DNA sequence: CGTATTTGACCAGCGC
DNA sequence: GCGCTGGTCAAATACG
């Protein structure tokens, strides 16, 4: 077995408003942006961040919007923090919103669905969740995602996009 | 005045 | 061997 260049890769999918150009993911850590590049795979610019709280922290973060859903931010974390969170994630000023981060930890990659924005328009398609709470619904989706991840880890992003789209009542048929 | 952020250029690695 | 893409560094600018 080799463990060369094998940092912990984590993915964090965060819903944000498409009108918000800030590729900043509030995860409780301090990040310093050190670059931005437009990849050919995605028309949206990809931002590169490094941990500014601890200079020795090897963690790097890449944030890019989903090519299909501009409201979905996909943050890729490389490595692990060698320190604690400098500050806790403060809830929105609204106070009514209750973020329900669905963290799914698999063998290697950690996929976290941080649904900071509950559901802008959740209701047109609630035929299979009228007897269960939204939290339970998310839990089921998370379990479903874990199952799929176990079978095809490479499908992570596509699945996350699909699930995310489902939350908004969308149906991204070509998720890749 | 100091810190953080932004943009452009340069370098390295991979594929054809 | 050349071209392309991704990633990082450094200098300049803006904001607090």
């Amino acid at each position: 077995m080799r463990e060369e260049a094998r940092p912990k890769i984590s993915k964090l999918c965060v819903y944000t408003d498409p009108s918000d150009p800030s590729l900043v993911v509030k995860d409780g850590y301090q990040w310093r942006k050190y670059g931005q590049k437009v990849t050919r795979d995605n028309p949206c610019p990809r931002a590169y961040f490094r941990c500014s709280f601890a200079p020795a922290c090897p963690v790097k973060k890449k944030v890019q919007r989903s090519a299909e859903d501009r409201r979905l931010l996909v943050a890729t974390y490389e490595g692990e923090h060698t320190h604690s969170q400098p500050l806790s994630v403060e809830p929105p000023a609204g106070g009514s919103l209750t973020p329900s981060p669905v963290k799914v930890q698999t063998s290697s990659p950690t996929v976290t669905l941080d649904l900071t924005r509950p559901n802008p328009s959740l209701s047109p398609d609630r035929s299979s969740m009228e007897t269960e709470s939204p939290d339970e619904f998310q839990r089921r989706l998370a379990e479903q995602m874990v199952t799929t991840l176990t079978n095809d880890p490479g499908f992570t992003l596509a699945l996350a996009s699909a699930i995310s789209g489902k939350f908004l009542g969308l149906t991204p048929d070509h998720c890749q």
Side-chain angles (χ1 to χ4, degrees), chain A residues 34-119:
Chain A
Y34 69 89
Q36 184 171 307
K37 204 63 174 292
V38 178
T39 57
R40 225 181 153 215
D41 185 60
N42 195 329
C44 302
R46 175 185 296 175
Y48 299 89
F49 295 90
R50 294 184 73 172
C51 190
S52 63
F53 183 74
C57 194
V59 181
K60 282 184 290 187
K61 182 174 72 170
K62 286 180 281 189
V63 181
Q64 185 174 37
R65 291 179 185 277
S66 177
E68 306 303 327
D69 294 297
R70 303 300 177 83
R71 71 212 92 194
L72 181 65
L73 278 179
V74 180
T76 305
Y77 295 82
E78 292 184 19
E80 295 179 84
H81 290 280
T82 58
H83 55 88
S84 308
Q85 287 185 244
L87 46 88
S88 53
V89 184
E90 291 188 56
S96 307
L97 299 176
T98 308
S100 309
V102 181
K103 198 164 190 175
V104 183
Q105 192 153 24
T106 56
S107 306
S108 298
T110 302
V111 182
T112 307
L113 279 181
D114 195 346
L115 306 174
T116 309
R117 302 182 76 82
N119 303 298

Side-chain angles (χ1 to χ4, degrees), chain A residues 83-170:
Chain A
H83 55 88
S84 308
Q85 287 185 244
L87 46 88
S88 53
V89 184
E90 291 188 56
S96 307
L97 299 176
T98 308
S100 309
V102 181
K103 198 164 190 175
V104 183
Q105 192 153 24
T106 56
S107 306
S108 298
T110 302
V111 182
T112 307
L113 279 181
D114 195 346
L115 306 174
T116 309
R117 302 182 76 82
N119 303 298
S121 57
L122 172 64
S123 47
D125 183 47
R126 47 185 291 181
S127 53
S128 57
M129 57 175 283
E130 52 186 57
T131 53
E132 42 191 348
S133 312
D135 185 67
E136 183 64 27
F137 182 60
Q138 290 179 4
R139 185 177 176 178
R140 283 182 57 190
L141 288 175
E143 287 183 35
Q144 192 175 74
M145 182 165 67
V146 174
T147 304
T148 306
L149 277 171
T150 308
N151 290 287
D152 192 350
F155 203 62
T156 302
L157 185 60
L159 182 64
S161 183
I163 294 175
S164 303
K166 193 167 184 174
F167 268 100
L168 292 176
L170 301 175

